[in-house]
């Protein structure tokens, strides 16, 4: 048995998890009541939904090749919401859109509005650029989510027909296309479809797309020779290495450095982890490990944001992490959550849950306003005051992506094996596990992320033996544990950053986890040239920033003395109720002179600095922002 097979976990089903805390529950409520209806309106008004009617004609505004994916992600987000909070009106709306999708599907199973209405006869001629398989993947994910949420097969049957058709077109067999998507996505979607249907052909097709990528002769080179320039030829002609841009520069098992477009990379790595888990494939897992190390140790922002350049929405070189020009696309941080969640099921190692949590609490939810109506496509770590969230985008992948993550949040909190119940994230609510032939319920009570005290109570019908594992986040330095009121030493029960308590559990047994939250000053690796002599502030899982509204509109003149203490204060009235950080900073006094340069050093004066969680910036009046603060 491989290491992967020994350690395999399964997430607890979304339907078996409830969330009723003060941090996530309000956001999920806003997602249900504001965001999902608003996104439907945007998809309707911008023509994305009506494009499914296939009545486009020459002279009309052109349907975008990505549009199907936006509609599919909206259905997926709505389905997750229906799974936990049934809503007859939303269900009816989803059914209406599914009817349009059904009518748009061709007799052979093909389903794509752009290539059916705008470019008929051009199917599969632009895999590199036109997102045909990417859109198919999002339809498949939506079909799986809708079936799991509602039990209805209406969309699942549609996507199975489409997947069957795609399987008849692509593969290693004689006469089939030996290509793969320019934008990865369908690979992970097919694994989901395989899990729901048990149809092995979907698994093999996912495996084909992954294993074929990067082989010679290079498919995209041959495609261009055969069919001519792709949809984005003008843009892509400016890229130094287009093969690296879409991670087709070498076979996936040989890749060891994150390159190219960050979202494409994350979705591909997700599929690699899925396949490694299904097959017990150690070599594929080793490739994931190499890529994970390169990303997390050399190419990730302190917020969990990834992809530093807007030029091609991706990675540049190791340790290149500019702040003001940081791209850090919301979709990329979401992809990082997806990938770390999959790695966590392969191996219950704290580093994956820590990375998931960092991205989730910082780089992901910064992408949506507190009222759930505006979005960041990119998430800089510094702004002069000109960067603001918007209601929608021409390419609007991020809004429905963040909505589907919020809707499915419950499945990221817990996992289980045959003999273990595992808590990765601390969120008030409950979860049901099937262990030792009975249902076990865990009830969490906590004020996380403002407080690190977590209380867990068990509900069991009969005394039962199993192991309970609790993550000790790397940001806490002196965790404590009590079982039924008695202190328990962590010395011999830590397993890759998780406390493992194996015993016979009885009804109403109580576990208390104490995770002290102190204000930490974070320093970047010296090779990150942009952050030399700067410091970032973190408390618990949250990264902080300073905004002009709380401090001064000349944030560049503010610094933090190394030896001054900082204080955490809960402010119920600020930004929906947050813990802010306050302390003595220093601000440079500017002489009354118009000279741009001078030989006399400037002096400083004390200044009361206030920092707020990074996710909450740009929710008040416009102004500058900084994560990394000069240290004096």
């Amino acid at each position: 048995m491989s290491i992967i097979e020994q350690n395999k976990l399964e997430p607890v089903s979304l339907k078996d998890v409830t969330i009723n805390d003060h941090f996530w529950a309000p956001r999920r409520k806003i997602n249900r009541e504001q965001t999902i209806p608003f996104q439907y309106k945007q998809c309707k008004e911008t023509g994305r939904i009506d494009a499914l009617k296939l009545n486009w004609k020459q002279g009309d505004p052109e349907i975008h090749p990505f549009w199907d994916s936006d509609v599919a992600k909206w259905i997926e987000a709505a389905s997750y919401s229906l799974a936990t909070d049934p809503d007859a009106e939303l269900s009816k709306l989803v059914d209406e859109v599914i009817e349009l999708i059904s009518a748009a599907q061709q007799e052979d199973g093909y389903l794509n509005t752009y290539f059916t209405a705008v470019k008929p006869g051009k199917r599969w001629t632009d895999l590199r650029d036109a997102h045909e398989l990417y859109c198919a993947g999002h339809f498949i994910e939506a079909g799986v989510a809708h079936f799991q949420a509602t039990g209805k097969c209406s969309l699942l049957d549609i996507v199975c027909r489409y997947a069957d058709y795609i399987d008849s077109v692509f593969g290693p067999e004689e006469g089939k296309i030996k290509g793969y998507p320019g934008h990865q996505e369908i690979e992970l979607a097919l694994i989901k479809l395989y899990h729901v249907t048990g149809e092995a052909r979907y698994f093999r097709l996912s495996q084909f797309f992954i294993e074929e990528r990067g082989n010679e002769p290079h498919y995209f080179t041959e495609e261009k020779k055969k069919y001519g320039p792709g949809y984005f030829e003008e843009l892509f002609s400016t890229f130094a290495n287009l093969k690296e841009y879409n991670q087709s520069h070498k076979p996936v098992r040989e890749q060891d450095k994150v390159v190219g477009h960050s979202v494409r990379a994350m979705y591909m790595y997700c599929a690699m982890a899925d396949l490694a888990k299904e097959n017990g494939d150690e070599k594929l897992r080793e490739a994931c490990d190499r890529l994970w190390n390169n990303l997390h140790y050399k190419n990730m922002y302190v917020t969990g944001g990834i992809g530093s350049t807007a030029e091609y929405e991706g990675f540049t070189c190791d340790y290149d992490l500019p702040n003001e020009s940081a791209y850090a696309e919301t979709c990329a941080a979401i992809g990082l959550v997806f990938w770390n969640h999959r790695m966590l099921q392969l191996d219950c190692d704290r580093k994956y849950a820590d990375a998931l949590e960092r991205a989730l609490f910082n780089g992901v939810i910064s992408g949506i306003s507190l009222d759930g109506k505006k979005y960041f496509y990119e998430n800089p770590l510094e702004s002069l005051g000109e960067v603001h969230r918007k209601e929608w985008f021409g390419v609007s992948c991020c809004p429905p992506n963040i909505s589907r993550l919020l809707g499915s949040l419950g499945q990221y909190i817990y996992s289980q094996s045959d003999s273990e119940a595992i808590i990765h994230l601390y969120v008030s609510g409950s979860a049901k596990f099937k262990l030792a032939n009975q249902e076990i319920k865990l009830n969490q009570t906590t004020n996380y992320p403002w407080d690190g005290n977590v209380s867990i109570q068990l509900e069991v019908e009969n005394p039962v033996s199993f192991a309970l594992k609790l993550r000790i986040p790397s940001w806490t330095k002196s965790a404590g544990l009590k079982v039924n009121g008695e202190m328990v030493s962590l010395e011999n029960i830590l397993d890759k950053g998780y406390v493992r308590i194996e015993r016979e559990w009885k009804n109403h047994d109580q576990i208390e986890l104490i995770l002290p939250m102190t204000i930490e000053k974070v320093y970047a690796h010296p090779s990150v040239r942009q952050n030399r002599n700067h410091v970032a502030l973190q408390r618990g899982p949250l990264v902080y920033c300073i905004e002009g509204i709380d401090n001064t509109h000349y944030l560049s003149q503010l610094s933090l003395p190394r030896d001054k203490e900082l204080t955490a204060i809960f402010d119920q009235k600020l930004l929906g109720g947050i813990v802010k950080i306050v302390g003595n900073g220093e601000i440079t006094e500017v002489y009354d002179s118009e000279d741009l340069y001078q030989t006399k050093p400037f002096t400083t004066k004390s200044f009361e600095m206030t920092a707020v969680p990074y996710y909450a910036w740009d929710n008040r009046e416009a102004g500058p922002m900084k994560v990394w603060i000069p240290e004096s």
Side-chain angles (χ1 to χ4, degrees):
M1 181 181 293
S2 72
I3 294 173
I4 293 174
E5 290 171 321
Q6 290 173 8
N7 296 333
K8 269 198 304 192
L9 306 177
E10 294 296 335
V12 173
S13 168
L14 184 65
K15 287 187 173 183
D16 288 330
V17 177
T18 61
I19 296 174
N20 56 21
D21 72 334
H22 297 297
F23 189 86
W24 289 112
R27 284 167 175 75
R28 287 163 51 78
K29 185 173 187 289
I30 288 171
N31 189 48
R32 290 194 308 273
E33 297 178 355
Q34 300 288 340
T35 307
I36 290 173
F38 179 75
Q39 289 179 2
Y40 172 82
K41 180 183 176 185
Q42 288 289 342
C43 285
K44 184 71 174 175
E45 291 180 352
T46 57
R48 285 163 165 80
I49 290 174
D50 286 344
L52 290 161
K53 297 176 181 178
L54 304 180
N55 56 8
W56 182 89
K57 58 184 182 297
Q58 206 71 35
D60 289 347
E62 189 168 295
I63 295 170
H64 199 286
F66 304 170
W67 276 7
D68 284 351
S69 67
D70 295 336
V71 176
K73 279 186 282 188
W74 175 81
I75 292 174
E76 189 179 353
S79 296
Y80 292 138
S81 179
L82 292 171
T84 55
D85 296 272
D87 181 322
E89 186 175 341
L90 179 60
S91 181
K92 181 174 181 292
L93 208 57
V94 170
D95 287 344
E96 289 173 359
V97 177
I98 291 173
E99 287 177 11
L100 289 175
I101 294 171
S102 178
Q105 187 166 32
Q106 304 300 290
E107 287 187 13
D108 58 5
Y110 184 77
L111 178 61
N112 184 286
T113 57
Y114 179 77
F115 281 98
T116 301
V118 182
K119 298 287 184 182
K122 298 290 186 180
R123 295 181 191 178
W124 317 127
T125 60
D126 189 10
L127 298 184
R128 189 193 73 180
D129 294 6
H131 289 62
E132 220 167 341
L133 290 169
Y134 169 83
C135 289
H138 277 301
F139 271 135
I140 291 169
E141 284 202 89
V144 171
H146 183 253
F147 169 73
Q148 291 176 328
T150 66
K152 298 177 183 178
C153 293
S154 52
L155 186 54
L156 183 67
D157 287 345
I158 291 169
V159 300
C160 284
R161 282 187 62 207
Y162 194 12
D164 291 342
Y165 167 71
I166 294 171
D167 183 59
S168 74
V169 174
F170 292 90
E173 296 86 1
E174 187 69 29
K176 289 188 177 183
I177 297 174
K178 306 300 186 294
Y180 41 84
H183 194 314
Q184 303 90 314
E185 211 287 336
I186 192 172
E187 302 90 340
L188 68 89
L190 286 166
I191 296 295
K192 289 187 176 184
L193 191 59
Y194 160 67
H195 284 157
V196 165
T197 64
E199 178 52 69
R201 286 184 297 109
Y202 303 147
F203 173 83
R204 290 194 295 269
L205 183 58
S206 172
Q207 191 172 33
F208 166 77
F209 285 138
I210 287 293
E211 299 287 4
E212 188 67 22
R213 194 173 205 89
N215 291 336
E216 294 293 340
H218 195 273
Y219 181 78
F220 296 146
T221 301
E222 299 303 309
E223 178 183 69
K224 185 175 178 179
K225 290 178 185 177
K226 186 174 183 180
Y227 299 115
Y231 186 88
F232 288 111
E233 190 67 32
E234 185 176 348
L235 171 65
F236 287 173
S237 65
T238 65
F239 291 1
N241 192 327
L242 188 51
K243 291 180 181 178
E244 285 193 351
Y245 171 75
N246 54 42
Q247 296 85 34
S248 64
H249 56 299
K250 60 175 72 172
V252 298
R253 293 172 181 274
E254 299 174 17
Q255 296 188 26
D256 57 7
K257 178 174 170 51
V258 293
V259 295
H261 188 274
S262 54
V263 179
R264 297 173 198 241
M266 292 306 102
Y267 289 173
M268 184 178 85
Y269 303 161
C270 283
M272 290 167 63
D274 282 341
L275 291 168
K277 180 181 177 183
E278 292 298 327
N279 280 342
D281 190 327
E282 296 290 352
K283 294 296 183 183
L284 200 54
R285 162 66 191 277
E286 287 170 8
C288 286
D289 286 336
R290 292 193 300 271
L291 292 162
W292 192 95
N293 289 337
N294 180 251
L295 173 61
H296 289 78
Y297 298 143
K298 296 181 180 180
N299 289 281
M300 186 179 74
Y301 284 99
V302 70
T303 57
I306 57 172
S308 58
T309 179
E311 182 183 3
Y312 45 85
E313 300 180 317
F315 305 102
T316 52
C317 59
D318 290 349
Y319 302 113
D320 183 37
L321 297 167
N323 295 308
E324 191 176 327
S325 63
Y327 198 68
E329 183 182 342
T330 300
C331 277
I334 292 169
L336 190 70
V337 169
F338 293 163
W339 184 31
N340 274 286
H341 186 237
R342 285 165 167 81
M343 295 299 288
L344 197 51
Q345 312 315 309
L346 284 171
D347 185 6
C348 189
D349 190 318
R350 173 176 68 188
K351 67 181 183 180
Y352 302 125
D354 282 353
L356 186 161
E357 181 180 67
R358 179 179 295 277
L360 181 63
F361 276 94
N362 300 288
V364 171
I365 58 173
S366 60
I368 188 168
S369 60
L370 294 179
D371 64 6
K373 296 180 179 179
K374 294 183 178 180
Y375 312 91
F376 278 141
Y377 198 103
E378 52 199 90
N379 294 269
L381 279 73
E382 183 172 347
S383 168
L384 299 179
E386 77 287 1
V387 178
H388 308 292
R389 294 179 183 85
K390 297 179 180 178
E391 288 189 347
W392 203 247
F393 307 93
V395 177
S396 222
C397 52
C398 296
N401 214 359
I402 197 170
S403 188
R404 68 174 178 150
L405 177 56
L406 287 172
S408 62
L409 182 65
Q411 68 185 11
Y412 296 92
I413 302 172
Y414 306 92
S415 292
Q416 75 168 78
S417 68
D418 292 338
S419 59
E420 296 175 328
I422 305 165
I423 303 181
H424 305 299
L425 301 176
Y426 298 110
V427 181
S428 281
S430 64
K432 297 175 184 176
F433 299 79
K434 299 289 193 305
L435 288 167
N437 298 316
Q438 68 169 293
E439 183 176 277
I440 295 158
K441 187 175 182 182
L442 296 184
N443 300 299
Q444 272 200 70
T445 304
T446 181
N447 195 31
Y448 204 89
W450 311 123
D451 185 281
N453 294 328
V454 183
S455 176
I456 301 158
Q457 186 184 70
L458 278 75
E459 293 182 28
V460 298
E461 290 183 13
N462 303 299
V464 56
S465 295
F466 66 91
L468 177 62
K469 295 181 73 169
L470 312 172
R471 178 176 63 104
I472 306 297
S474 58
W475 50 255
T476 194
K477 301 300 185 285
S478 56
L481 176 70
K482 293 181 182 179
V483 177
N484 294 329
E486 294 186 8
M487 291 297 300
V488 176
S489 172
L490 306 186
E491 186 175 351
N492 297 316
I493 59 172
L494 275 175
D495 179 16
K496 296 184 179 181
Y498 282 73
V499 168
R500 189 176 190 275
I501 318 163
E502 186 168 11
R503 57 176 284 164
E504 183 180 74
W505 298 97
K506 298 180 176 62
N507 197 33
H508 296 152
D509 275 351
Q510 193 86 16
I511 302 99
E512 295 174 67
L513 189 61
I514 302 99
L515 305 173
M517 283 187 180
T518 58
I519 299 168
E520 298 282 349
K521 290 184 177 180
V522 180
Y523 298 88
H525 190 283
S527 296
V528 182
R529 63 191 185 280
Q530 297 91 345
N531 296 335
R532 294 291 298 273
N533 303 316
H534 283 61
V535 64
L537 301 178
Q538 180 173 319
R539 183 178 182 272
L542 298 176
V543 174
Y544 280 69
C545 68
I546 53 175
E547 285 193 275
I549 188 173
D550 302 309
N551 298 284
T552 169
H553 282 271
Y554 300 100
L555 295 184
S556 60
Q557 297 172 16
L558 196 151
S559 62
L560 263 181
R562 177 171 291 187
D563 59 348
K564 296 292 185 181
E565 288 190 9
L566 299 168
T567 304
I569 301 173
F570 185 76
D571 189 334
Q572 183 65 50
K573 296 181 180 179
L574 182 61
L575 293 164
I578 61 162
V579 169
K580 63 185 179 183
I581 295 175
V582 298
N584 286 328
E586 291 182 345
I587 190 166
T588 304
E589 292 189 288
V590 180
Y591 294 122
D592 186 17
S593 170
E594 294 182 356
D595 292 340
L596 183 58
Y597 306 103
Q598 63 181 49
T599 57
K600 185 180 179 181
F602 292 99
T603 60
T604 62
K605 63 180 180 180
S606 182
F607 182 84
E608 182 71 14
M609 183 211 73
T610 299
V612 299
Y614 171 77
Y615 76 77
W617 83 279
D618 193 49
N619 275 282
R620 296 172 289 172
E621 69 178 44
M625 179 277 295
K626 283 172 72 78
V627 169
W628 290 95
I629 308 167
E631 188 176 57
S632 56

